[in-house]
Amino acid sequence: MFLPSGTMCNAIGFRLHVRPGGDAVHLHPSSHPIVAEGGGPSALSGAVLAPVCGEAGMFTADALEAALFPAGDRYKPRSRLVSVEQTTNLAGGRVWPLPQVRAVLEVAVRHRLRAHLDGARLFNAVVASGVPAADWAHGFDTAWIDFTKGLGAPVGAVLAGSAELIEQAWRHKQMMGGALRQAGIVAAGCLWALDHHVDRLAEDHANARILAEGLAGLPGTPLDPDTVETNIVVFGLADAPQFCKRLEAEHGVRMGALGADQVRAITHHDVNTADVCSATRAVAAVLSVAR
């Protein structure tokens, strides 16, 4: 089912699985529904968001097992859904290992939980790992991909699930204002992206690695390039908001502050290797003036 945004994919996906009255969604604390959806899961689905911690935006099967609420306990929420973000966003574009995903899904099956795959950057994981999208999505009740990230389309995402779930999803799409009479126009760009922009994600990954290696050589930017697996580079920096403001104002390079002391940079279809080298020099210049 075609939708205007990935956020709406998550909103409708959660709504399909969560029952009003205290159902819990288990997901990483840095995942998009917690940090960037305005409390939508609670407002639209009545969901209790129950974070499951883990390194690099990923949690283990054991951590999920330990986080589940006891079945039949009237004092606790009811564990209902587990959500996996592939690749991890704020944790630096890391790729969940397939065995780890499989182990998490086994816990979900054992406890009769639904499973949702937040695949905003799923094709980045496909290109980086060589694992087909179908294998990543196998075992999830719902999954979605975004066309506006590395794939470069101007708008749109698509939610996948069983015929029964998608039939229900259409009603939620109408209720939430996601129905578009003009869907064919924007979907055309998404089809082009699927046909032409998936393999080229490898260029974004290579450019991100070049950026990471360049930044790692600068004083004051602690970063291990080996942790950069796809197109997202996250590094620590004192007064990140002021740094990002100066970087854009003085050099035309846009990066995002993740709180007070972290910066996120993303390579994509409109950024080439020369741009990455220019960005590295700009970061060095701003840091030099700051010192």
Side-chain angles (χ1 to χ4, degrees), residues 58 92-96 124 128 205 225-232:
M58 301 172 281
R94 303 294 292 272
V95 179
W96 285 67
N124 288 96
H205 299 173
D226 288 339
T227 64
V228 177
E229 299 174 343
T230 56
N231 67 322
I232 301 177

Side-chain angles (χ1 to χ4, degrees), residues 3-216:
L3 289 167
S5 72
T7 297
M8 190 171 283
C9 285
N10 275 336
I12 293 177
F14 282 20
R15 184 69 177 267
L16 290 172
H17 304 305
V18 173
R19 302 162 299 186
D23 277 1
V25 180
H26 297 278
L27 68 178
H28 195 273
S30 69
S31 61
H32 198 271
I34 289 183
V35 303
E37 297 187 10
S42 298
L44 299 173
S45 301
V48 175
L49 298 184
V52 184
C53 294
E55 293 189 8
M58 301 172 281
F59 49 85
T60 65
D62 288 342
L64 174 61
E65 186 98 45
L68 297 180
F69 297 107
D73 188 337
R74 66 183 181 183
Y75 296 99
K76 300 290 194 304
R78 297 170 297 195
S79 293
R80 177 66 172 171
L81 176 66
V82 58
S83 180
V84 168
E85 186 180 75
Q86 179 73 300
T87 64
T88 64
N89 178 6
L90 301 186
R94 303 294 292 272
V95 179
W96 285 67
L98 187 58
Q100 187 169 340
V101 174
R102 290 281 179 262
V104 165
L105 290 174
E106 288 174 5
V107 172
V109 169
R110 189 161 62 250
H111 292 274
R112 298 183 179 180
L113 306 181
R114 299 281 186 90
H116 175 74
L117 178 62
D118 178 340
R121 297 171 177 84
L122 180 61
F123 279 110
N124 288 96
V126 169
V127 171
S129 66
V131 176
D135 289 354
W136 287 119
H138 180 73
F140 287 91
D141 297 283
T142 47
W144 65 273
I145 59 171
D146 202 316
F147 300 108
T148 69
K149 300 294 192 295
L151 294 183
V155 64
V158 66
L159 177 69
S162 68
E164 179 183 1
L165 285 175
I166 294 301
E167 183 177 358
Q168 297 176 43
W170 273 100
R171 180 171 179 81
H172 296 310
K173 175 179 179 176
Q174 192 71 29
M175 290 171 61
M176 294 182 188
L180 298 170
R181 288 187 176 85
Q182 308 85 352
I185 297 172
V186 287
C190 301
L191 291 171
W192 175 273
L194 282 176
D195 290 338
H196 298 89
H197 292 177
V198 173
D199 292 340
R200 63 146 302 279
L201 291 173
E203 301 172 17
D204 296 343
H205 299 173
N207 282 332
R209 183 60 182 257
I210 292 170
L211 177 63
E213 291 172 348
L215 295 175

Side-chain angles (χ1 to χ4, degrees), residues 211-224 233-240 243-244 255 260-263 280 283-291:
L211 177 63
E213 291 172 348
L215 295 175
L218 300 177
T221 56
L223 172 64
D224 180 3
V233 180
V234 175
F235 58 98
L237 192 66
D239 198 359
F243 165 80
C244 291
M255 295 183 182
D261 58 1
Q262 277 195 317
V263 176
T280 305
V283 171
V286 171
L287 293 178
S288 177
V289 171
R291 287 196 301 274

